[in-house]
Each structure stands twice: as C-alpha cells, then as structure tokens.
Amino acid sequence: GEDVEQSLFLSVREGDSSVINCTYTDSSSTYLYWYKQEPGAGLQLLTYIFSNMDMKQDQRLTVLLNKKDKHLSLRIADTQTGDSAIYFCAENLIYNQGGKLIFGQGTELSVKP
Amino acid sequence: ETGVTQTPRHLVMGMTNKKSLKCEQHLGHNAMYWYKQSAKKPLELMFVYSLEERVENNSVPSRFSPECPNSSHLFLHLHTLQPEDSALYLCASSQERVAGYTFGSGTRLTVV
C-alpha cells in the first residue's frame, strides 16, 4: 500500500537537536526525501537519501535510513527559531507507467527560544 | 524564486465563477503535477502530466480541469467550485517522474 507516516508535532528549545521520524511502506523506493514548508509557502526540498545509503549528512542536517524497518529520520542540530516549519517525508513509488512521490502528513516543528 | 512560478498567489471566487490557476517552470523538467493541500489533511495528488500527456487523475471532480499546453506550463481551470474546495493548490515539476519535485509557492484559493 501507499502509506508514509509521521508524528504530527514536535516542540524543542532553541539550540537543542530535533529528530523527526518517518515510516514508509514501499521497499522498492530508490530515493527518500525531506521537504520543508514555511507558513504561506510551497514545499522546499531539504535533502534526500538514496536507498543504498544508511546516512547522509549535510551541514546541520543528518538523515538516517533503516531499510529493514522502513524507517527514515531527519536530525537538525542546533535547532534555530527559523527552523520552525512543517517537515514532510516522501518516498517515490515506482510502478510500470512511471512513479510518483507519496508524502507523509507532515510534522510541525515548533522551536521555542 | 524556486524555478516554479504560480499565479495568482491568492484567489477568492464565488461558487458560480470560472477561474484558472497558472503554473510555469523554467527548469527544463518533463513532468508536472497539481497537489491540493487542505488544513489538517495530507497532500493530495490531483493530476500528473508527463511529456505534456495526462498520465494520472486521482478521482478529482470534473469541476477541476487541468491543461498542459507545453512542457513549461500547466493550468488548472476551475468552475462551479464548492466551499470545501478552499485550499492551497501546489504545482510541482520534476525531471522524470521518479525524481525529486520542485514546488511552486502555491495559490491560496477561497471559495465563498
């Protein structure tokens, strides 16, 4: 089935690390993505990981992938108030005619000063 | 600018009006998408166009009519909408349908 699940809310203090978790269902996904949506804006691609990788680091962002458990996480180090947004996890679902991205419901991250 | 431009940014329309949303991408991508984002609901994929051909239509009511005249432009024609159609409509594009998407900023639609 097509299902990507995330917790809906996360609240952290400025300077702490944030960890946003996601589970997905399609084991054939080749890429998994993290998108960020600020209020009133579209979705911005933050980072992605290829399915044969376990970890990817990009400045303050660390993506961990556990393929066995179909679990993806996004860690934001030294979280800032500007990181407050909704974060979406997505997997690409491949089928004969092509593919499409399946998005989770989004995790609203609130960063308190 | 993200490379995907949507106009208008905001639209208020009555239930008997006809309006169109426009999306333009300058990235050379060959696939374009319409998504609906309602409050408290997951992103809903509405339509997929690949190489200017509609390849997916996810049970969207006929009051929404997409048009893709070329690989850079995508329209969503609206007529006789309902208040529950009020939402943020997002356009996205990608190079191949399995690649990451680039999103526009969306059109905030309010149906009164």
Side-chain angles (χ1 to χ4, degrees), chain A residues 84-102:
Chain A
S84 293
I86 301 176
Y87 291 81
F88 292 89
C89 162
E91 63 166 340
N92 62 336
L93 183 69
I94 312 288
Y95 45 90
N96 288 339
Q97 299 91 339
K100 62 183 178 184
L101 290 194
I102 305 297

Side-chain angles (χ1 to χ4, degrees), chain B residues 6-78:
Chain B
Q6 289 187 244
T7 54
R9 289 296 306 274
H10 301 273
L11 178 62
V12 179
M13 60 186 288
M15 289 191 281
T16 57
N17 291 158
K18 287 185 182 181
K19 296 284 184 185
S20 295
L21 309 186
K22 180 182 175 183
C23 176
E24 188 173 356
Q25 59 98 359
H26 310 281
L27 302 166
H29 289 169
N30 60 14
M32 296 185 77
Y33 313 83
W34 280 116
Y35 278 86
K36 177 184 179 182
Q37 187 178 32
S38 305
K40 313 295 184 193
K41 291 174 87 173
L43 278 164
E44 299 172 52
L45 178 62
M46 299 175 73
F47 300 105
V48 179
Y49 274 82
S50 178
L51 298 171
E52 300 158 42
E53 180 185 345
R54 189 190 314 180
V55 296
E56 194 155 332
N57 175 346
N58 286 325
S59 304
V60 180
S62 59
R63 57 186 184 269
F64 295 91
S65 174
E67 179 190 2
C68 186
N70 55 62
S71 58
S72 300
H73 293 85
L74 185 66
F75 294 90
L76 188 62
H77 303 300
L78 317 170

